[in-house]
Amino acid sequence: MTFGSTNTAFGVSSSPSSGFTFTPAFRQSPFGTTPSHFGAQTSLFGGSNPAVQRPAFGQPPTQSTPSIFYSTSTPALGSIVEQTGSTFGENSSPEMNRISALPMPIIYHILSFLPTEEVVRTCVLSKGWINIWSSVPSFHFNSRLFKSTKTFIKFVDFVLFLRDGSDVQNVSLSPVGQFDDVDVSWIKEWITYAVRHNVQVLDIENACGRNIQLTPHLFTCESLREFKLFNNNLSLPLRIWLPSLKVVHLISVSLKDGQLDEALFSASPSLETLLLVNCNITSGILTISASQLKNLNLKGNFPSSIVVSALNLISLKLNITNSVPVNIIFNGNLKLISDANIDLKGDSSVSTTQLISIVKNVRYLTMSTLFVQSIAVELQKDLGTQKCSDTPFSNLKWLKIGTLFSRDEVILINHILMHSTEIESVFLVNDVGKFGGLKNIAQVEQYEVKEGYKYKLSHLKLVEIEGFRGSENEMELVNLFLENAIVLEKMIIFLCNFGDEQELMKVGRKLLTQPRSSLTAGIMYWRI
């Protein structure tokens, strides 16, 4: 069957009178043994007391929509309805039937977090729930939840055929296992159905061992806002127009030469977020040109040269794993950028200079050990020649640095802090165990460090150090924070699981006796 028309079988219902019979999987109680999809909030150390849970290390603040958190004591969706025994139209009250009293958009939103198999099972809860599943606008089809590929295909056909024909918002397809050519052709039909029903978010996780041929209609879908593709080839047609597309995630995708810059970017004028992870890009240069792009995330191996034209960029994340340095050029001045997370080896002096200009103007900055090693010479010379009245890091509020805690890196960190007049949170990661073979920064001019200690960190409230080993350079930085952070509230030190425990305890007792500028500063220790 095909799903090209919106006039699907509206008259067919799942009630007994229609002649449709459920398989045994749908006769059993769907909520009796199914674990909660929302999960419990438990301590990372196995305890139940939230007051002693280890804090998450070094996560920058994010702006997100409010979330609803559920605990294990929260009744499941099915149990709420089953306990009341009421339906939508049988003398029920909001106090007795909390779920059924909710507006339909909220019910749809709750169901959107469940696999479609669970959503369909809600039809056995009560008479009022018989047909709700058929109008839910979100689908999560995952073949991992089925015993065989054939069962999975029949189930998806059943759901799409018996829907009420309304538009869909979110479609997630995860074909996993052995699919033959005929099976893969069904996946193409499902994508066509989603496109013709004005899908807004399409997520395809291909783990079936075969390439899924994407329908050409997908690339002229004017309603599509988000497109996510995993482990598949992406061959764009000649005709492509995606005016509403804002988010593109491509993970382990093979791209032809020029497919991104010549086709996708020019056909997506509203593109705001681009994520490329472990993609196979055969061309020698990657050009990213998107006037409305705000979030750029590149991870994996990339061509030796990357050119970015995105003047409205706000967030930049580069985790490039090439064995040789990559040359990255940014066209124009990135005045709006506020968040940078950079993990790569610098290449040319032009690239290094541009990256330094970027990190000097952001509000949230994460730099890996490799990146610090690459730019340290240029950055320290630049900072060392500026007066304290100059504030190249005047916007910086949140800083995370991977470091070997060498003498030269201590000098570099000191100079960054000295120019960060608004810094509020600092996170240091000891990467000695990870990059023990790296050499210390070479040929760095030795500016007098003690001169740099004569400044105050007037806004610093939180310091976290991960992998603390108690070395002399680490202790020097700890003393710097305690002496100069006049409003410090917390210093959290994660001790590495390396070395003699008694020695680490001695270090801990020594830190507790260090003088502090802040009267409210507290020191916490954790073993990792």
Side-chain angles (χ1 to χ4, degrees):
M1 71 184 72
T2 60
F3 305 101
S5 172
T6 57
N7 297 320
T8 51
F10 299 134
V12 182
S13 68
S14 57
S15 61
S17 61
S18 66
F20 181 83
T21 58
F22 289 101
T23 62
F26 295 105
R27 290 196 188 104
Q28 62 185 6
S29 175
F31 299 99
T33 59
T34 303
S36 173
H37 289 277
F38 302 104
Q41 300 177 14
T42 58
S43 169
L44 295 176
F45 295 113
S48 58
N49 185 357
V52 297
Q53 293 184 16
R54 169 182 166 179
F57 178 81
Q59 294 299 322
T62 57
Q63 295 181 354
S64 59
T65 55
S67 302
I68 302 176
F69 296 91
Y70 297 82
S71 65
T72 51
S73 61
T74 303
L77 175 65
S79 65
I80 294 177
V81 180
E82 288 176 341
Q83 288 171 5
T84 61
S86 60
T87 62
F88 284 106
E90 296 181 357
N91 300 322
S92 60
S93 65
E95 292 76 12
M96 295 178 60
N97 193 337
R98 288 173 287 173
I99 288 292
S100 299
L102 294 173
M104 287 308 300
I106 296 181
I107 293 179
Y108 288 153
H109 181 70
I110 294 173
L111 294 178
S112 69
F113 292 98
L114 302 177
T116 303
E117 182 185 14
E118 300 290 338
V119 175
V120 174
R121 285 177 177 174
T122 61
C123 68
V124 302
L125 297 179
S126 65
K127 292 181 180 179
W129 284 82
I130 289 179
N131 294 313
I132 287 182
W133 68 269
S134 64
S135 57
V136 173
S138 298
F139 302 102
H140 301 281
F141 296 118
N142 191 338
S143 65
R144 296 181 182 90
L145 304 178
F146 295 82
K147 294 182 178 180
S148 67
T149 300
K150 300 301 179 184
T151 304
F152 171 68
I153 292 176
K154 289 181 180 179
F155 174 76
V156 178
D157 286 344
F158 153 74
V159 171
L160 298 184
F161 184 73
L162 295 182
R163 282 196 76 246
D164 62 2
S166 59
D167 286 348
V168 297
Q169 295 179 359
N170 190 332
V171 175
S172 175
L173 295 173
S174 298
V176 180
Q178 297 299 320
F179 281 67
D180 56 30
D181 292 339
V182 176
D183 298 334
V184 172
S185 66
W186 281 112
I187 300 175
K188 182 179 179 180
E189 292 293 335
W190 302 337
I191 297 174
T192 301
Y193 176 91
V195 170
R196 292 183 176 177
H197 288 76
N198 300 316
V199 63
Q200 297 181 26
V201 179
L202 181 61
D203 189 346
I204 303 173
E205 178 193 3
N206 181 11
C208 65
R210 292 176 179 268
N211 184 60
I212 299 175
Q213 185 66 35
L214 302 178
T215 173
H217 300 290
L218 172 63
F219 302 103
T220 56
C221 181
E222 296 188 0
S223 62
L224 189 64
R225 294 187 295 105
E226 296 185 19
F227 177 56
K228 303 175 183 179
L229 182 63
F230 172 76
N231 195 24
N232 203 75
N233 293 336
L234 180 60
S235 180
L236 300 178
L238 295 177
R239 184 171 178 266
I240 175 173
W241 179 239
L242 301 166
S244 302
L245 188 63
K246 293 182 179 293
V247 178
V248 173
H249 290 185
L250 302 179
I251 304 174
S252 299
V253 172
S254 296
L255 299 164
K256 292 184 178 180
D257 292 353
Q259 286 275 287
L260 289 178
D261 52 312
E262 295 179 5
L264 182 61
F265 296 140
S266 59
S268 309
S270 302
L271 185 63
E272 295 182 354
T273 299
L274 176 64
L275 170 68
L276 301 179
V277 178
N278 297 328
C279 291
N280 182 18
I281 303 174
T282 57
S283 60
I285 182 172
L286 172 63
T287 302
I288 299 174
S289 179
S291 60
Q292 299 303 315
L293 191 65
K294 297 180 180 178
N295 307 291
L296 176 61
N297 191 337
L298 305 180
K299 183 176 182 179
N301 286 328
F302 287 89
S304 57
S305 182
I306 301 175
V307 178
V308 179
S309 298
L311 297 180
N312 290 308
L313 202 62
I314 295 176
S315 175
L316 174 66
K317 296 183 180 181
L318 302 176
N319 185 0
I320 298 179
T321 57
N322 294 40
S323 57
V324 295
V326 175
N327 184 27
I328 303 179
I329 302 298
F330 295 88
N331 291 329
N333 188 5
L334 302 181
K335 298 180 180 180
L336 302 179
I337 192 165
S338 63
D339 183 6
N341 186 332
I342 304 179
D343 181 6
L344 54 80
K345 291 182 179 179
D347 186 7
S348 66
S349 59
V350 176
S351 177
T352 301
T353 302
Q354 283 200 321
L355 288 174
I356 290 176
S357 67
I358 290 174
V359 302
K360 286 164 54 178
N361 291 284
V362 299
R363 298 183 64 189
Y364 308 102
L365 174 61
T366 301
M367 296 191 294
S368 70
T369 301
L370 287 175
F371 183 63
V372 170
Q373 295 271 320
S374 299
I375 70 169
V377 175
E378 294 295 330
L379 179 58
Q380 185 153 302
K381 286 182 179 180
D382 181 63
L383 295 180
T385 57
Q386 299 191 45
K387 300 178 181 180
C388 291
S389 58
D390 299 328
T391 53
F393 286 92
S394 60
N395 297 323
L396 189 62
K397 292 182 177 294
W398 191 98
L399 173 66
K400 182 177 181 179
I401 296 181
T403 174
L404 303 180
F405 282 100
S406 66
R407 184 62 179 172
D408 298 325
E409 288 173 312
V410 171
I411 296 173
L412 176 64
I413 294 171
N414 173 65
H415 278 283
I416 292 177
L417 294 174
M418 182 171 58
H419 292 87
S420 304
T421 56
E422 301 294 326
I423 191 75
E424 295 178 358
S425 303
V426 175
F427 305 86
L428 302 178
V429 182
N430 192 330
D431 280 336
V432 169
K434 182 179 179 181
F435 298 105
L438 282 179
K439 296 180 181 180
N440 290 338
I441 303 171
Q443 299 177 355
V444 177
E445 184 177 349
Q446 297 295 319
Y447 302 104
E448 181 60 35
V449 183
K450 293 301 179 182
E451 290 299 322
Y453 287 175
K454 297 178 181 179
Y455 62 91
K456 295 298 180 182
L457 298 169
S458 303
H459 300 276
L460 184 62
K461 298 180 180 179
L462 173 64
V463 174
E464 294 189 13
I465 303 176
E466 181 180 10
F468 189 82
R469 295 168 178 255
S471 67
E472 180 180 349
N473 291 335
E474 288 175 305
M475 292 294 294
E476 187 173 306
L477 277 176
V478 168
N479 290 332
L480 180 150
F481 291 124
L482 292 178
E483 293 175 4
N484 296 336
I486 59 178
V487 295
L488 185 67
E489 297 176 358
K490 290 183 188 177
M491 176 176 285
I492 304 175
I493 297 178
F494 298 100
L495 302 174
C496 76
N497 211 2
F498 176 82
D500 183 62
E501 185 172 350
Q502 294 298 325
E503 291 297 323
L504 290 176
M505 294 301 295
K506 289 181 181 178
V507 172
R509 286 192 290 268
K510 182 178 179 181
L511 288 176
L512 291 176
T513 61
Q514 294 297 314
R516 312 173 194 181
S517 295
S518 174
L519 299 177
T520 60
I523 300 178
M524 301 173 61
Y525 294 90
W526 296 88
R527 290 299 299 267
I528 59 175

